[in-house]
Amino acid sequence: MEQVVSGLDVFFVLIGAILVFAMHSGFAFLEVGTVRHKNQVNALVKILVDFSISTVAYFFVGYLVAYGTGFLVSAAVLSGAETVEGLDYGMSGFGLVKFFFLLTFAAAIPAIISGGIAERAKFWPQAMATAIIVGLVYPFFEGLVWNGNYGFQGWLESAFGAPMNDFAGSIVVHAVGGWIALGAVVMLGVRKGRYRKDGTPVGIPPSNIPFLALGTWLLCIGWFGFNVMSAQSVEGINGLVAMNSLLAMGGGILAALVAGRNDPGFVHNGALAGLVAVCAGSNVMHPLGSLVVGAVAGVIFVVFFQLCHNRWKIDDVLGVWPLHGLCGLWGGIAAGIFGSESLGGLGGVTFMSQLVGSVIGAVFALVCGFIVYGGLKAIMGIRLSEEEEFNGADLSIHQIRANPEADLPVRN
């Protein structure tokens, strides 16, 4: 019976890993539909290459930093067929599918950043940034929250009455990715022609609304692997997580619809805003609380996206700082509000623990974003030349456009 349960856990987490892996196609098409046509190929290549670099970096370094477990042992030990003192990968190789599942979370960090720095970032410096972030930066904070490294969770519990609850990564994944992206966007600067000499913004509409919508749908579907399967065992499955995710998504869509005045970009990103925010407390909140959390996140995205581009002149192309950074931060804090028993939640959380842990995550990520991208900017440069940016990243980096047949001369 123990072997059957172990096999079910392996299958459960494997399906979760595949669903979250599929979300990366959503990141790709969301970016493809938002950037200009001359940068669509670059968006597709970046997301795929970043995932591959993330896999290698997390395998050799990142997972070891977060959980103290490496994989440079025999396949017999990895699969669970043999045991070695001090190493336990679980029956049926459960530790391996757990690595796959957590890798898909880690690889979401560069996928998030990609949308913010689109249309003017050099390719290889971004690849190097991915290796550093997924190998060292992200797993350090991941280990603090999800593995209790360096007594971080113990300190929060002793100081504020409960450890930080971040069930599916509003802070660990989304806020960290969004606040690193803010540092990267600031270090890159704005796109050429984005603002007139008097500072007024020049509108750059999405290139393909259907692709943008496809990206959102793929992300929304995969998100139920992201959230529900964060239980990481069949025994831990809870329908409350699925219900909370649905209600937060719906709240985000409807709030963005109203706040964004029917703008399709805001509507589709509103769904993601709600899902980002509910990740942290999806295991402890009441569905009505999740609906409110998602609705507030939808408004946060619309308002701060407009402030970034129109007033503060932060050229965050896909709005990843408002979407992941701010909505993720709100989600981490909201878990301490709507997860309380007084508001219908399951309890086991405190507002101060959620607030302090969430703010520490955001500050850590922002500082690391400036360090990583500032260092790369000083050493090798991180931005395309003005001519390369004008021609587009597709031709400048990959020597081909999204529709190369259209560039061929017409034959009579």
Side-chain angles (χ1 to χ4, degrees), residues 49-121:
V49 171
D50 279 344
F51 190 92
S52 301
I53 293 171
S54 298
T55 301
V56 175
Y58 201 62
F59 178 83
F60 283 105
V61 183
Y63 198 78
L64 186 64
V65 171
Y67 301 102
T69 301
F71 299 101
L72 300 182
V73 294
S74 71
V77 175
L78 291 175
S79 67
E82 294 181 6
T83 58
V84 175
E85 186 177 353
L87 294 176
D88 183 11
Y89 296 92
M91 296 180 65
S92 305
F94 176 78
L96 306 188
V97 293
K98 180 181 177 182
F99 164 81
F100 182 16
F101 183 65
L102 292 173
L103 161 68
T104 59
F105 282 57
I109 303 295
I112 290 168
I113 296 168
S114 175
I117 63 175
E119 301 204 324
R120 76 272 202 204

Side-chain angles (χ1 to χ4, degrees), residues 285-350:
M285 294 190 296
H286 189 279
L288 290 177
S290 297
L291 179 64
V292 174
V293 169
V296 171
V299 174
I300 287 173
F301 174 72
V302 172
V303 171
F304 281 90
F305 182 91
Q306 293 173 327
L307 286 173
C308 281
H309 285 271
N310 299 334
R311 183 173 299 179
W312 298 335
K313 297 180 177 57
I314 298 174
D315 193 11
D316 180 350
V317 180
L318 267 67
V320 297
W321 176 59
L323 180 61
H324 297 274
L326 293 179
C327 292
L329 182 61
W330 157 241
I333 297 169
I337 302 171
F338 294 95
S340 64
E341 293 183 32
S342 61
L343 290 177
L346 295 180
V349 295
T350 65

Side-chain angles (χ1 to χ4, degrees), residues 139-153:
F140 176 80
F141 189 74
E142 175 190 17
L144 292 183
V145 177
W146 285 346
N147 201 46
N149 292 354
Y150 305 106
F152 180 71
Q153 289 284 33

Side-chain angles (χ1 to χ4, degrees), residues 387-406:
E387 181 180 0
E388 289 171 330
E389 186 178 340
F390 176 80
N391 291 332
D394 292 357
L395 285 180
S396 299
I397 297 173
H398 310 288
Q399 290 79 53
I400 193 168
R401 294 184 188 272
N403 303 99
E405 187 176 351

